[in-house]
Amino acid sequence: MSETEIVAELNEQFGSGNKELEADVVAELRSIMRLHQLSVEDLFFKWESYCIKMDIDAAQTALETLRHFKQDLHDTLERNSRSHVKIKTEKGISSTPRAPRVSGGDVFGMLDSLTTPGPSRASKVAPKRTPAVSRVKAEPASSPVKLADQLDATGAIPPSFFNDRANAGETVEILNDQLPAPEPPIAPFSESRIKLTAASDQKKLAYKPLALKVSESSEILDDRIDDFVSLVMQHHKLEESAFGSAASQSTSEIVAVGRIASDSSEGKLNAASLLLETSRRMGGGLRVPLNVSRLRGYQFFPGQIVALKGVNSNGHEFTVHQILDLPLLPNAASTPDTLGAHIQRLRGGPDAMDSDSDPAPLNVIFASGPYTADDNLDFEPLKALCNEAADIYVDALVLTGPFIDMEHPLIASGDFDLPEEYLSSIDPDTATMSTVFKYLISPSLNRLASANPSITILLIPSVRDVLDKHVSWPQDAFPRKELGLPKAAKVIGNPMTLSMNEIVLGISSQDVLFELRHEELIGGRPQEPRLLERACRYLVEQRHYFPLFPPTDRKKLPKTGRGDGVGPGAVLDVGYLKLGEMVNVRPDVLVVPSSLPPFAKVVESVLVINPGYLSKRRGAGTYAKMTVYPPDLAKQEQMGGMLAHKIFERARVEITRI
């Protein structure tokens, strides 16, 4: 790769919006790459890990911060050398231990222990990350201030003051900045301008968790492969005879459809450990090693359904000649009459006085929990967000969990008090977490609903919500009884596909983007070189809100504030993974909160939004504000009497610091 290409890739990964990196910043990044022999992608992975560890914004690539990052990499290398720990690289091809290959069965016995709750899925390998305290002691005085330096005499994190936060209200990123920023109305609308229609069947999410049957889970995994066989056959207009089993020896080229897997339950997926798992109908459920040496580029992750053209001439491995594209779901579309009715609703209904004028655009705010810092339960970021929503009279506020986070240090210990003004109306003997929600979260939502009676509030749970008894994903909505929520608030499932007027909205509170980024294998020149776009494309291409299987070991996920810092992980209920599929069409807007840097991007005509977390462990976070302008029916082309929504063209999205 030439120097110009490397600089361009550095700007793509580390740049902020359309602003290129300064020359001294580029020089420092190239110095780190040469010193540690890292690719641009590996450097970005380490930079993100460092930012998460130090609780700083990954988009702020200041020269001084990069020097601290460089020193941290050097200190880590020194410590590992002194302790004779072998350093593992994060490159796509690494020396993962090879397990004996067997001719049948599921992926390394995963079906024996599917859907166990997070805490019981203990890893056999002890974590190798050195505690922060020892790291600080080993560093020279010129190193940046670390978390352990900020601990008080009791070892607790000193209080963070939300009102003293820097850059409050700053816009981090804007998508479609050519569209004008809307002027807030002078008064709230007389009635709601949003019509909600559920596309997902929420009743099915009320299944009984932790009642897994191995046979049912196996059938679900098999059915997903078989469904894609039919889709590939229709999309590429292939005969059924063109398909075969990748595990069967033959000199004829065939198309094999299966699931990407690894030959080892430990270590990262690499080219040497690649397996293709077939369904029982197409290949007897056998697994076969993949030889991808003839491909110019590839991008794989465990659980990915792929269609491969190749041959198994020796009976030991399937040599891949070509990766066939998977068909995408159709774009969302509506009839002209339906779109006209939605436009009229934006004007204020059929009785609106000025029924021919252009209606005000639809305004929606997206935010994701946690909603308070680790050192308090004041929920100040949530209060600030509700105040902002009330000031600009937004049409909808969409909040994803966790609301009361089981990983919050105070919630986990139970060592906290409710505000004194509520103590007279609370019986300590009967108080529950519903009581905590009612007195700490609901008041902000009730004040918002009072200030803006026409607002629609959507709440989506998380597997980290202590309030929800449904512990696995896909996840049922938590009951609103005893929570004191306003009538404008609706609690829906996780994930959920619904229509907000004509906008098809897909939401999941699982941090699938981080896990995909962690588990993916990239080789050569992949189809999508940009990391964030590639992770989003996986979701659209696989038609699923969580296509990764098995999920990432929870010890490798971002640290939480409780105990050893290990969260519950994905907590998948494999027997009900079909409820995580996208419904009928591609979403117009896909909301997937993640610990990765917040963004708004267009991928395959889908507007993908990561609003970030509203509150970080020791500081304020971000949220997303979407403004959708009404369609111009006269200029849109009809296809079969339907008009494509094209929300990605008429939506302005702002990522903003709270």
Side-chain angles (χ1 to χ4, degrees):
M1 185 181 293
S2 67
E3 185 68 21
T4 303
E5 291 175 328
I6 293 176
V7 172
E9 191 172 352
L10 285 171
N11 278 292
E12 173 68 30
Q13 298 282 20
F14 291 86
S16 177
N18 298 323
K19 184 179 178 182
E20 293 190 351
L21 299 173
E22 297 178 1
D24 53 353
V25 172
V26 173
E28 188 68 23
L29 291 171
R30 292 290 290 122
S31 173
I32 299 173
M33 290 173 62
R34 287 191 294 269
L35 183 63
H36 295 277
Q37 298 181 341
L38 298 173
S39 66
V40 175
E41 188 174 46
D42 290 338
L43 178 64
F44 184 67
F45 288 167
K46 290 183 179 295
W47 167 247
E48 282 190 325
S49 299
Y50 174 77
C51 290
I52 292 172
K53 177 174 66 177
M54 300 305 300
D55 198 18
I56 58 178
D57 188 354
Q60 301 297 324
T61 50
L63 182 60
E64 188 66 22
T65 308
L66 287 176
R67 288 172 177 167
H68 293 159
F69 168 56
K70 184 178 182 180
Q71 181 66 43
D72 185 77
L73 290 178
H74 177 71
D75 294 337
T76 302
L77 184 61
E78 277 192 348
R79 282 196 308 274
N80 290 340
S81 298
R82 285 196 300 267
S83 58
H84 305 288
V85 176
K86 184 178 179 181
I87 299 172
K88 295 183 178 179
T89 68
E90 292 184 0
K91 294 183 179 180
I93 300 177
S94 61
S95 55
T96 302
R98 299 285 295 275
R101 288 170 176 157
V102 296
S103 60
D106 64 302
V107 184
F108 44 79
M110 283 298 300
L111 293 180
D112 294 335
S113 57
L114 295 176
T115 351
T116 54
S120 67
R121 294 171 55 191
S123 172
K124 296 181 180 179
V125 181
K128 297 180 176 61
R129 186 172 293 184
T130 306
V133 175
S134 62
R135 172 173 54 80
V136 173
K137 290 181 179 178
E139 290 177 347
S142 60
S143 296
V145 178
K146 302 298 193 298
L147 172 61
D149 295 331
Q150 302 177 19
L151 300 180
D152 60 22
T154 64
I157 299 176
S160 58
F161 297 99
F162 180 75
N163 291 332
D164 297 335
R165 66 194 185 280
N167 305 318
E170 177 189 11
T171 301
V172 178
E173 178 181 338
I174 301 178
L175 177 72
N176 288 338
D177 57 357
Q178 75 278 6
L179 297 175
E183 291 291 334
I186 58 176
F189 296 101
S190 58
E191 60 182 26
S192 176
R193 301 198 303 159
I194 287 179
K195 178 182 179 182
L196 292 177
T197 307
S200 301
D201 189 350
Q202 184 156 325
K203 293 181 179 179
K204 291 183 178 179
L205 291 173
Y207 65 88
K208 183 179 180 181
L210 304 181
L212 177 66
K213 294 182 179 179
V214 174
S215 59
E216 293 178 358
S217 299
S218 176
E219 290 172 2
I220 291 295
L221 296 175
D222 269 2
D223 289 346
R224 181 162 168 78
I225 297 176
D226 293 338
D227 290 343
F228 271 90
V229 170
S230 302
L231 293 172
V232 171
M233 188 182 303
Q234 296 174 9
H235 179 69
H236 292 279
K237 298 179 180 178
L238 299 172
E239 298 292 334
E240 189 172 354
S241 58
F243 293 82
S245 171
S248 300
Q249 183 176 1
S250 174
T251 56
S252 302
E253 187 178 66
I254 63 167
V255 175
V257 179
R259 177 180 293 104
I260 293 296
S262 173
D263 68 358
S264 172
S265 60
E266 300 176 1
K268 197 170 188 280
L269 185 69
N270 58 59
S273 64
L274 265 178
L275 298 176
L276 184 71
E277 181 182 14
T278 64
S279 68
R280 283 174 291 188
R281 184 174 72 88
M282 295 297 298
L286 300 177
R287 291 175 287 137
V288 58
L290 292 179
N291 183 343
V292 293
S293 59
R294 297 191 182 185
L295 297 177
R296 295 184 59 187
Y298 52 83
Q299 48 194 50
F300 295 131
F301 64 87
Q304 180 182 11
I305 306 298
V306 293
L308 308 175
K309 182 179 287 186
V311 62
N312 184 350
S313 57
N314 58 13
H316 299 296
E317 65 179 17
F318 186 78
T319 302
V320 183
H321 299 159
Q322 181 185 357
I323 302 174
L324 300 183
D325 292 333
L326 298 181
L328 304 178
L329 285 167
N331 285 315
S334 300
T335 63
D337 290 343
T338 301
L339 290 177
H342 292 314
I343 293 174
Q344 192 62 34
R345 183 176 292 103
L346 293 180
R347 293 193 179 104
D351 299 329
M353 296 180 62
D354 194 357
S355 59
D356 295 327
S357 63
D358 290 335
L362 194 72
N363 289 306
V364 183
I365 286 181
F366 300 102
S368 176
Y371 293 98
T372 189
D374 272 6
D375 57 13
N376 65 75
L377 290 174
D378 295 334
F379 289 91
E380 291 174 303
L382 178 62
K383 294 174 183 176
L385 181 72
C386 290
N387 290 338
E388 172 68 15
D391 290 341
I392 63 176
Y393 298 116
V394 297
D395 293 286
L397 175 64
V398 181
L399 304 175
T400 64
F403 296 96
I404 301 180
D405 189 0
M406 68 171 66
E407 298 302 314
H408 192 287
L410 298 180
I411 295 295
S413 66
D415 186 15
F416 64 91
D417 296 318
L418 291 174
E420 292 184 2
E421 60 266 29
Y422 300 132
L423 294 180
S424 60
S425 57
I426 298 175
D427 181 1
D429 295 331
T430 60
T432 64
M433 284 300 168
S434 296
T435 310
V436 176
F437 188 101
K438 179 179 180 179
Y439 289 104
L440 296 185
I441 295 179
S442 292
S444 298
L445 302 179
N446 279 292
R447 284 192 293 269
L448 171 59
S450 298
N452 183 8
S454 62
I455 193 173
T456 298
I457 303 173
L458 297 180
L459 307 179
I460 298 94
S462 162
V463 293
R464 284 171 50 172
D465 263 308
V466 72
L467 196 68
D468 200 340
K469 296 180 180 179
H470 201 284
V471 296
S472 57
W473 190 95
Q475 185 179 20
D476 192 16
F478 52 79
R480 57 177 296 153
K481 185 179 179 182
E482 300 179 356
L483 297 183
L485 290 170
K487 292 183 179 180
K490 296 175 175 59
V491 186
I492 59 179
N494 172 32
M496 178 59 65
T497 304
L498 53 89
S499 292
M500 189 178 287
N501 291 350
E502 81 275 17
I503 305 169
V504 179
L505 178 64
I507 316 173
S508 173
S509 63
Q510 289 277 61
D511 189 356
V512 64
L513 297 182
F514 181 90
E515 297 198 29
L516 285 170
R517 189 217 67 171
H518 186 277
E519 298 295 336
E520 70 174 347
L521 166 65
I522 305 300
R525 295 185 176 181
Q527 182 180 3
E528 175 53 77
R530 296 168 296 183
L531 184 148
L532 295 177
E533 283 86 344
R534 187 169 63 243
C536 297
R537 181 179 172 82
Y538 288 147
L539 304 182
V540 178
E541 182 184 73
Q542 296 290 304
R543 309 178 174 205
H544 205 280
Y545 291 102
F546 200 98
L548 182 69
F549 183 80
T552 302
D553 181 354
R554 60 197 187 95
K555 291 187 177 181
K556 299 177 182 178
L557 299 177
K559 296 298 182 183
T560 67
R562 180 180 73 158
D564 58 2
V566 180
V571 200
L572 301 183
D573 196 319
V574 182
Y576 292 91
L577 281 184
K578 193 170 182 63
L579 298 177
E581 294 181 351
M582 297 177 184
V583 182
N584 300 329
V585 296
R586 269 177 274 174
D588 291 314
V589 180
L590 180 60
V591 181
V592 278
S594 173
S595 57
L596 297 181
F599 63 82
K601 298 186 180 296
V602 178
V603 178
E604 296 293 348
S605 302
V606 178
L607 173 54
V608 186
I609 300 175
N610 168 22
Y613 297 153
L614 193 67
S615 177
K616 299 179 181 179
R617 290 182 57 191
R618 291 181 292 119
T622 57
Y623 66 95
K625 181 169 64 176
M626 180 179 72
T627 302
V628 182
Y629 287 84
D632 189 342
L633 300 183
K635 294 182 179 179
Q636 291 203 219
E637 298 181 3
Q638 293 193 29
M639 296 185 64
M642 305 290 282
L643 296 176
H645 296 165
K646 295 186 177 180
I647 300 297
F648 63 92
E649 291 182 350
R650 49 190 177 95
R652 174 189 172 98
V653 182
E654 300 177 8
I655 305 295
T656 308
R657 299 185 193 277
I658 187 61

